Amino acid sequence: MRMRPTLSWTPDADLPPGTTDLEPVAEALAAGGVLVLSGAGISTESGIPDYRGEGGSLSRHTPMTYQDFTGSAAARRRYWARSHLGWRTFGRAKPNAGHRAVAAFGDRGLLAGVITQNVDGLHQAAGGEDVVELHGSLDRVVCLTCGAFSPRRELARRLEAANPGFEPVAAGINPDGDADLTDDQVGDFRVVPCAVCGGVLKPDVVFFGEAVPPARVEHCRELVRGAASLLVLGSSLTVMSGLRFVRQAARAGTPVLIVNRDPTRGDREAVTRVALPLGEALTTVAARLGVSAADPAGT
């Protein structure tokens, strides 16, 4: 029997309340050795909705699972139609003040690394280096048959050619780059096979219900072991893929700090949760530390 992945979490009434005091975050960053763990909430100010916050996409959309994708040609057609449309908007997203602040902290040598649960590439677009993409990236595609990788832009061109005139209007875009389309809008969308072997193509991301590669998990665990503190940015920590690192840090006595407007599943392990918008919070901390997090384009 296949189990559906955990998509939601109900906070306990007695969770520690959030604060607006940024001093613990500033102190941790000033001391250095901070490992950042980011989630969908850091990208909302770039126009990409999160899963569970106010207006989050889970209120209207159930993400594709690995089991559904691999087990059904119809599910793959629906996924690629929606993802192809979503990619046009998703691929135009730009880093926001939160991404720029994290990159600036890294440039100043204050970070032990960055682990992101996001698949949008915005940390790297902001200038972040050595970012571990826990769940992969939408800008790559992998063949499930031969293992060949290819750029997403190449697949986009092939899908455009196979589906001329495909221009439905989506109800919204989701954090995984999936657009909200009805079955009628998907219609008879044509999926293209691997150009190398004719096999099934999948975005190089970890779907719900799919395991993160063990070597990647161990690399993240090693980063946690070497960090002076763990700073969680914009994640509800609902799923275990991120929560396990919070619990690992807490067990080792490594301080966990969270910036997230809503309660998270890791609040009990944290020394503080700052309930402020991420762009505002991180820009404020950067200013206190004398770290420039300005938009290089001036926008």
Side-chain angles (χ1 to χ4, degrees):
M1 178 180 177
R2 289 176 177 167
M3 300 297 291
R4 304 295 291 183
T6 298
L7 298 179
S8 62
W9 163 77
T10 302
D12 297 332
D14 60 345
L15 278 177
T19 179
T20 58
D21 181 12
L22 286 164
E23 193 58 30
V25 176
E27 290 176 355
L29 282 162
V34 175
L35 177 62
V36 167
L37 172 63
S38 71
I42 199 170
S43 293
T44 56
E45 293 172 43
S46 294
I48 299 174
D50 62 12
Y51 284 110
R52 301 173 181 86
E54 184 178 353
S57 68
L58 285 183
S59 63
R60 64 177 191 277
H61 162 74
T62 299
M64 177 64 67
T65 67
Y66 181 77
Q67 293 77 12
D68 288 341
F69 185 87
T70 57
S72 167
R76 290 193 293 274
R77 181 172 64 252
R78 185 169 61 252
Y79 173 82
W80 279 120
R82 294 162 62 125
S83 186
H84 177 56
L85 184 65
W87 173 252
R88 298 174 186 173
T89 299
F90 201 84
R92 292 194 295 266
K94 303 296 183 184
N96 63 51
H99 298 112
R100 293 192 294 271
V102 171
F105 296 144
D107 287 344
R108 186 62 72 88
L110 305 180
L111 302 183
V114 176
I115 301 169
T116 185
Q117 299 175 90
N118 300 338
V119 296
D120 53 35
L122 292 179
H123 278 297
Q124 296 93 320
E129 298 179 353
D130 300 322
V131 178
V132 179
E133 295 174 312
L134 185 63
H135 296 152
S137 175
L138 277 176
D139 67 2
R140 298 185 300 272
V141 179
V142 62
C143 175
L144 295 180
T145 305
C146 71
F149 289 90
S150 56
R152 178 62 179 266
R153 62 180 180 275
E154 176 184 307
L155 176 63
R157 288 194 295 267
R158 295 178 64 206
L159 289 173
E160 293 273 1
N163 298 277
F166 182 72
E167 296 284 348
V169 177
I173 305 295
N174 303 304
D176 53 6
D178 190 8
D180 287 328
L181 297 178
T182 66
D183 288 343
D184 285 343
Q185 288 176 304
V186 170
D188 57 356
F189 185 87
R190 291 184 58 199
V191 177
V192 298
C194 172
V196 176
C197 74
V200 172
L201 293 176
K202 173 184 173 292
D204 187 26
V205 300
V206 177
F207 282 170
F208 283 89
E210 183 180 6
V212 178
R216 193 179 304 165
V217 174
E218 180 52 34
H219 177 46
C220 292
R221 289 196 181 281
E222 184 63 28
L223 290 174
V224 175
R225 285 192 283 270
S229 60
L230 178 63
L231 177 60
V232 180
L233 302 176
S235 176
S236 67
L237 300 169
T238 295
V239 296
M240 189 55 66
S241 63
L243 180 62
R244 59 183 150 196
F245 303 125
V246 168
R247 290 179 172 174
Q248 176 190 346
R251 285 195 302 269
T254 302
V256 175
L257 305 95
I258 299 174
V259 183
N260 199 66
R261 284 188 291 184
D262 298 319
T264 83
R265 200 175 169 194
D267 281 5
R268 294 194 190 283
E269 282 77 32
V271 296
T272 187
R273 177 177 62 85
V274 178
L276 288 173
L278 275 162
E280 171 190 334
L282 295 180
T283 300
T284 299
V285 170
R288 289 187 189 180
L289 299 179
V291 174
S292 175
D295 182 350
T299 58

